[in-house]
Amino acid sequence: MRLSFQWLKTYVKLPPSVTPEKVAEILKLSTVEVEGAEHQGEALENIVIGRVLKAEKHSNADKLLVCAVDTGKEMLQIVCGGTNVRAGMLVAVAKIGASVRWHGEGEFVEMKLVSLRGVESRGMICASNEVGLADMFPSKNEREIMDVSHLSGVRPGTPLAEALGLDDVIFDIDNKSLTNRPDLWGHYGMAREVAALFRRPLAAYKTSPIRLGKERRLKVDIARAEDCSRYMAVAVEGVTTTPSPSWMQKRLLSAGVRPINTIVDIANYVMLDIGEPMHAFDAVRLSEKNGTIAIEVRRAKNGEAFHALDGRRYDLNGDDIVIVSGGRVLALAGVMGGQEGSVSPSTTSIVFEAANFHPSFVRRTSTRLGLRTESSARFEKSLDPNLCESALRKAVELTLELCPGARVASAIADKKHFRLNQGPIRIPVSEMTRKIGVEIPYKEINRILTDLGFSVKKTGEMLAIGVPTWRAMKDISIPEDIVEEVARIYGYHHIPAQLPVFPIVPPAHRSGRLEQRITDALVRGLGYTEVQTYSFVSPVQVRHLGEKEDAYLELENPLSKDRPFLRRNLVGNLLECLAKNRDFSDELRLLEIGKVYRKEEKGEEMGGKNGGVLPRQDTWITAVCMRRGNDSMLEMAKRALVTALGPPAGEAGAAVCEYRVRVVAKPLPWQHPGKTGEIVVGGQVVGFLSEAHPKVSRAFDISGRVGVLELNMSALASLAAEALVFYKPVSVFPAVSRDIAILADQGVLHANFFDAIAGSDPLIHKVELFDVYQDDTMEAGKRSLAYRLTLQSKDHTLTAEEADAAVRKVLEILKKRFNATPRA
């Protein structure tokens, strides 16, 4: 938004010591983001008023004139190609050193002494677009120079900026910083802020009551009260659509709005003045029945056509609000007027509209149609409905002033149904001091709030604060809002800065550090790629995993209709990622960190009035891997486990915790029944090591095997060692290896053999299965398993006899428990 400093000063008188730069600085510190301050006259430096004394034809060019121009202190010879140059006219002269844009195009260039067709030219007689004034002085063709002969009493040599009154400073306000402040979308609202910040009196916004007429009757109907909280209209006869006066044009231009004609300019001026968009309809083009002009506010019909002022046709739907008369759409409410009821050069009677439309509907319509206008930018912020009356009065007042023959021709139609929450908001003075961090005297608090339009009543230590209507539009509603108002006007720079005092206690579970350590180990150590997927899953994915939909939490309002469930694991989304990327690489390794949602388990309790218990939402790390042509990916998944947590219990090396992998009694539907183990720490299951079931892989369109590692970080963090890593010392005494092969029933799992061997003797340090064999010579239902046993003592060097005795003990236990016999 563009803000005129001169316009502001009509409502708040600032001392000469308060410069525009100072105002911009204070506004930036307290209220809005001021992105820049543009001095209008800077671009017109070295451009002055000149009087053309002679304009003679150039001897070597048919379309050029050689002019003698009086610029006050000197007479300049200038070669000019303007079609309208004549002796006696006042023109804008760019002297040597000035910056102009040739024919209004390209970058600004510096004027220099030149020779044109053999004749010296000591400057340039400018067209309006060459000095950035095309909106103020529109030209009929590109060779028409700017005629300022209407500036009577201006002497040659007067700077052009001074002659045109272009001595304003324009603030460029970032619109995003005004999102929650609809009261600041006009100069008067911003002047209220400036007055409060600089402790200067604010001029009252005075408007004259409208003297009602009886020539015409107006009738307004609002189909849905929620669409339009207020609609005011009045008819005015005897208007003219001549250009508006220069003072109004200058103010409009300073705010970035192009002047059109008196009536349209008045509507735009009022909007920029107090922030209430207005519209004017040609009364002759409105439907009239029995001498009454009928206006209706309703929803558009699906497919209804609207021909807008921008010359385009828009197809509307039932979410758009329209202004209708006689079945014709006159305007798209809050966004843009239409061609049907627009003001034309022949217009002599009008109907002014000042309304308040529902912000959400205006925003949706504006966004859907791509129509961002000054009007929609304001309505979508929730304007004060009371602005309608002030705006209508101001518009009529200006019309009667600028159109001498104008008169009000009707009573005011006013349909309204709104109620604002103006408090009072109660807050103790001590609470305000506590929240701000500095004690502000009550007298200062009262002054700040009163200057901003609030009412303040003090009873003991309690303040009861009434909210003005322009701040009651979803802006000020709770005590903290009042605290913020006092703090920002008092000045954040006046509040001492100090670090907060609080105890620094390390968290009980260092899950963040643990997650980072495991992620780094897998990414850097094994080349896994971390991905991030949505927490939402589809019914198709649930079926592919072999699970039931009723086990999943279903969203009432999902972002995507095809993914209505919250995930119970990270595996499904990762399998989808593998399927999408399988053609780009022979080997894929992916991991993800994220929450899973189990509705059958209780999680955190919710605070507040509603209370309740949330579903359990543990954080998991899941890694998946696949290699083209590899029939078993369990070993690769196991490698990821050892890299992430360290070696399992019983093996030397650095580890996150003492863990073991044991057989899963009942695998999940998507887990391979013969290749799934659960990771156990202190008797608690903290994850799974598995391969995906081949049927599940095929359902996800993955032809090969997929290894999966799942770690519950929420559980693991509470069980891991305090330092996250502990070390099992390596014995200084040499180890001894022995290999054994046993013949056993196929129904006995390797995990059972592993547990029995590892627990048979303290000297057993490591157990490795290195071969599984079966052929026709063996007894039916039997298979051979070969293990390498590593034996080691912590306090002495083993003898051969000790090692052999430990091996015999292992074989005896296997025979007793599983009827397994040594294989020769």
Side-chain angles (χ1 to χ4, degrees):
M1 186 179 80
R2 289 170 63 84
L3 192 72
S4 163
F5 185 55
Q6 296 288 0
W7 200 336
L8 277 181
K9 291 200 296 183
T10 61
Y11 295 121
V12 53
K13 291 185 178 180
L14 297 172
S17 59
V18 177
T19 62
E21 289 72 22
K22 184 65 175 178
V23 172
E25 179 188 357
I26 298 300
L27 282 175
K28 188 182 296 186
L29 289 173
S30 62
T31 309
V32 294
E33 185 64 33
V34 182
E35 295 188 330
E38 170 195 329
H39 290 257
Q40 283 185 323
E42 284 183 345
L44 300 177
E45 188 176 353
N46 253 348
I47 301 177
V48 300
I49 298 294
R51 184 182 297 279
V52 179
L53 301 180
K54 289 191 303 183
E56 299 176 345
K57 188 177 179 180
H58 194 293
S59 59
N60 294 323
D62 293 338
K63 294 183 179 181
L64 296 180
L65 298 173
V66 179
C67 303
V69 184
D70 177 13
T71 59
K73 295 181 180 180
E74 57 184 333
M75 188 78 64
L76 299 179
Q77 177 178 280
I78 299 176
V79 179
C80 178
T83 57
N84 59 329
V85 179
R86 67 185 186 280
M89 72 184 298
L90 291 180
V91 295
V93 178
K95 302 174 70 175
I96 303 299
S99 294
V100 297
R101 294 173 64 190
W102 291 107
H103 305 294
E105 298 177 354
E107 300 295 328
F108 281 90
V109 296
E110 183 180 339
M111 283 299 304
K112 297 180 180 179
L113 177 65
V114 296
S115 178
L116 298 175
R117 296 291 184 91
V119 178
E120 188 178 81
S121 182
R122 304 184 63 82
M124 184 172 80
I125 299 175
C126 303
S128 58
N129 61 356
E130 292 173 325
V131 290
L133 299 175
D135 287 334
M136 184 178 290
F137 297 94
S139 58
K140 298 177 182 178
N141 59 68
E142 62 178 11
R143 295 186 61 203
E144 181 180 89
I145 57 96
M146 187 169 67
D147 187 354
V148 292
S149 300
H150 64 283
L151 299 176
S152 57
V154 176
R155 295 182 178 182
T158 304
L160 180 62
E162 179 184 329
L164 296 178
L166 299 177
D167 55 351
D168 203 354
V169 178
I170 310 301
F171 300 125
D172 184 11
I173 309 295
D174 178 24
N175 285 355
K176 293 189 293 293
S177 65
L178 295 169
T179 298
N180 67 323
R181 292 294 303 273
D183 60 304
L184 298 183
W185 282 80
H187 281 76
Y188 189 76
M190 202 67 79
R192 185 187 297 112
E193 287 285 311
V194 173
L197 289 166
F198 288 91
R199 302 190 179 189
R200 306 295 298 178
L202 176 71
Y205 194 80
K206 295 180 180 179
T207 56
S208 304
I210 298 175
R211 294 184 178 180
L212 307 180
K214 298 182 179 179
E215 294 178 51
R216 291 182 176 271
R217 292 195 297 273
L218 298 179
K219 180 184 177 184
V220 174
D221 287 322
I222 300 176
R224 299 189 184 190
E226 66 270 21
D227 291 350
C228 181
S229 59
R230 191 171 194 181
Y231 192 99
M232 299 183 71
V234 68
V236 182
E237 295 280 356
V239 303
T240 57
T241 54
T242 55
S244 57
S246 60
W247 67 266
M248 180 175 284
Q249 291 194 32
K250 289 175 186 176
R251 287 196 175 178
L252 293 176
L253 289 168
S254 69
V257 175
R258 181 172 60 87
I260 297 175
N261 60 53
T262 303
I263 300 303
V264 176
D265 291 356
I266 287 172
N268 286 332
Y269 178 86
V270 172
M271 175 185 69
L272 298 171
D273 199 30
I274 61 172
E276 169 67 24
M278 293 194 65
H279 194 69
F281 301 109
D282 188 330
V284 175
R285 304 174 72 177
L286 303 185
S287 177
E288 191 170 341
K289 186 176 181 180
N290 299 325
T292 300
I293 295 175
I295 297 175
E296 182 184 4
V297 182
R298 64 164 170 81
R299 296 282 181 90
K301 301 170 185 176
N302 287 329
E304 188 168 16
F306 170 61
H307 297 275
L309 286 174
D310 63 1
R312 296 175 59 188
R313 167 186 164 141
Y314 297 91
D315 293 325
L316 308 181
N317 64 32
D319 285 337
D320 304 321
I321 305 173
V322 291
I323 314 301
V324 179
S325 182
R328 294 177 300 163
V329 179
L330 304 178
L332 192 55
V335 181
M336 184 176 284
Q339 296 178 7
E340 290 285 354
S342 62
V343 173
S344 68
S346 61
T347 298
T348 58
S349 60
I350 61 170
V351 172
F352 269 128
E353 164 199 278
N356 191 280
F357 303 108
H358 195 290
S360 296
F361 286 104
V362 173
R363 181 170 56 253
R364 283 202 291 266
T365 296
S366 173
T367 302
R368 182 176 61 82
L369 299 179
L371 274 174
R372 294 291 300 168
T373 62
E374 292 281 354
S375 178
S376 67
R378 288 164 172 79
F379 276 121
E380 66 184 21
K381 305 299 187 299
S382 297
L383 294 178
D384 177 10
N386 293 286
L387 283 176
C388 295
E389 184 173 357
S390 298
L392 195 67
R393 283 188 173 191
K394 189 68 175 179
V396 171
E397 181 182 301
L398 288 170
T399 303
L400 299 180
E401 176 188 337
L402 302 182
C403 301
R407 62 191 181 280
V408 178
S410 73
I412 298 174
D414 187 5
K415 289 280 186 178
K416 57 181 177 180
H417 32 265
F418 63 89
R419 185 171 61 182
L420 306 179
N421 181 17
Q422 295 183 254
I425 297 174
R426 303 183 187 279
I427 181 172
V429 177
S430 59
E431 180 68 5
M432 190 171 292
T433 299
R434 186 185 71 82
K435 288 184 178 294
I436 294 176
V438 64
E439 185 174 353
I440 302 175
Y442 165 71
K443 184 177 180 180
E444 178 68 2
I445 293 173
N446 184 64
R447 182 201 67 80
I448 290 172
L449 293 175
T450 303
D451 285 351
L452 292 173
F454 295 86
S455 64
V456 183
K457 184 177 180 181
K458 186 172 184 287
T459 305
E461 280 295 302
M462 183 65 69
L463 299 181
I465 300 163
V467 182
T469 60
W470 57 86
R471 300 300 300 277
M473 305 305 299
K474 304 177 184 178
D475 180 12
I476 304 293
S477 58
I478 57 177
E480 285 74 12
D481 293 332
I482 300 297
V483 172
E484 182 183 4
E485 292 300 297
V486 173
R488 68 184 185 82
I489 300 299
Y490 177 76
Y492 295 125
H493 54 290
H494 291 146
I495 301 173
Q498 62 183 43
L499 291 173
V501 178
F502 58 89
I504 300 177
V505 180
H509 310 313
R510 304 178 181 180
S511 58
R513 285 179 57 196
L514 187 57
E515 289 173 16
Q516 190 63 51
R517 180 190 183 280
I518 292 175
T519 303
D520 286 349
L522 294 176
V523 171
R524 297 180 182 180
L526 297 180
Y528 276 77
T529 298
E530 185 176 356
V531 299
Q532 186 173 11
T533 64
Y534 288 111
S535 298
F536 318 121
V537 297
S538 65
V540 174
Q541 184 188 116
V542 174
R543 291 194 295 271
H544 285 349
L545 290 173
E547 298 183 325
K548 296 181 179 179
E549 293 180 7
D550 57 8
Y552 285 73
L553 278 166
E554 185 171 1
L555 298 169
E556 289 186 2
N557 187 24
L559 292 177
S560 175
K561 292 182 180 179
D562 62 341
R563 288 180 175 264
F565 301 117
L566 286 174
R567 64 191 177 192
R568 289 176 58 84
N569 56 64
L570 305 180
V571 176
N573 285 342
L574 286 172
L575 290 177
E576 288 182 350
C577 287
L578 286 179
K580 291 177 181 178
N581 293 278
R582 69 184 187 280
D583 295 332
F584 301 108
S585 177
D586 290 337
E587 184 173 332
L588 289 172
R589 303 179 187 186
L590 305 177
L591 73 87
E592 181 176 13
I593 306 173
K595 289 185 180 295
V596 302
Y597 305 86
R598 306 284 177 87
K599 70 177 186 179
E600 72 276 10
E601 300 179 43
K602 292 183 179 180
E604 296 181 2
E605 292 187 4
M606 293 189 295
K609 298 179 181 179
N610 298 327
V613 179
L614 292 170
R616 183 161 180 169
Q617 304 174 35
D618 285 353
T619 298
W620 287 67
I621 288 181
T622 299
V624 297
C625 53
M626 63 174 289
R627 180 186 296 156
R628 199 185 306 275
N630 194 327
D631 291 335
S632 177
M633 296 303 299
L634 190 62
E635 284 300 316
M636 187 179 288
K638 181 180 178 182
R639 185 181 177 194
L641 170 62
V642 174
T643 303
L645 299 185
E651 297 185 19
V656 169
C657 55
E658 289 270 4
Y659 73 91
R660 296 176 59 206
V661 180
R662 69 186 184 194
V663 176
V664 174
K666 187 177 181 181
L668 295 172
W670 59 266
Q671 293 174 333
H672 193 299
K675 296 183 178 182
T676 297
E678 54 189 15
I679 303 164
V680 182
V681 176
Q684 181 177 342
V685 177
V686 298
F688 298 93
L689 180 66
S690 65
E691 273 191 14
H693 196 293
K695 290 183 179 179
V696 173
S697 296
R698 288 193 294 270
F700 281 92
D701 199 20
I702 301 172
S703 58
R705 300 297 182 101
V706 178
V708 182
L709 169 64
E710 296 179 280
L711 295 173
N712 185 339
M713 300 310 300
S714 300
L716 191 58
S718 63
L719 297 170
E722 182 67 17
L724 296 183
V725 178
F726 70 92
Y727 298 89
K728 289 172 282 188
V730 178
S731 176
V732 297
F733 299 99
V736 175
S737 294
R738 293 284 191 274
D739 291 345
I740 63 171
I742 58 173
L743 195 65
D745 294 336
Q746 287 184 354
V748 182
L749 298 177
H750 153 69
N752 297 334
F753 287 127
F754 180 92
D755 291 342
I757 295 170
S760 62
D761 192 284
L763 295 179
I764 303 294
H765 177 67
K766 187 176 181 180
V767 180
E768 295 177 277
L769 174 68
F770 66 86
D771 185 50
V772 178
Y773 179 73
Q774 188 175 15
D775 63 16
D776 295 338
T777 64
M778 296 180 186
E779 183 182 343
K782 298 287 187 177
R783 63 175 177 172
S784 171
L785 295 92
Y787 289 93
R788 177 164 291 124
L789 313 182
T790 302
L791 301 95
Q792 193 173 33
S793 172
K794 296 180 181 180
D795 52 19
H796 68 281
T797 300
L798 290 179
T799 64
E801 291 76 12
E802 288 176 308
D804 293 340
V807 171
R808 286 195 299 272
K809 188 175 181 181
V810 168
L811 294 173
E812 290 172 1
I813 290 175
L814 295 180
K815 171 66 176 176
K816 184 177 181 181
R817 291 188 185 179
F818 309 111
N819 196 29
T821 59
R823 178 171 177 265

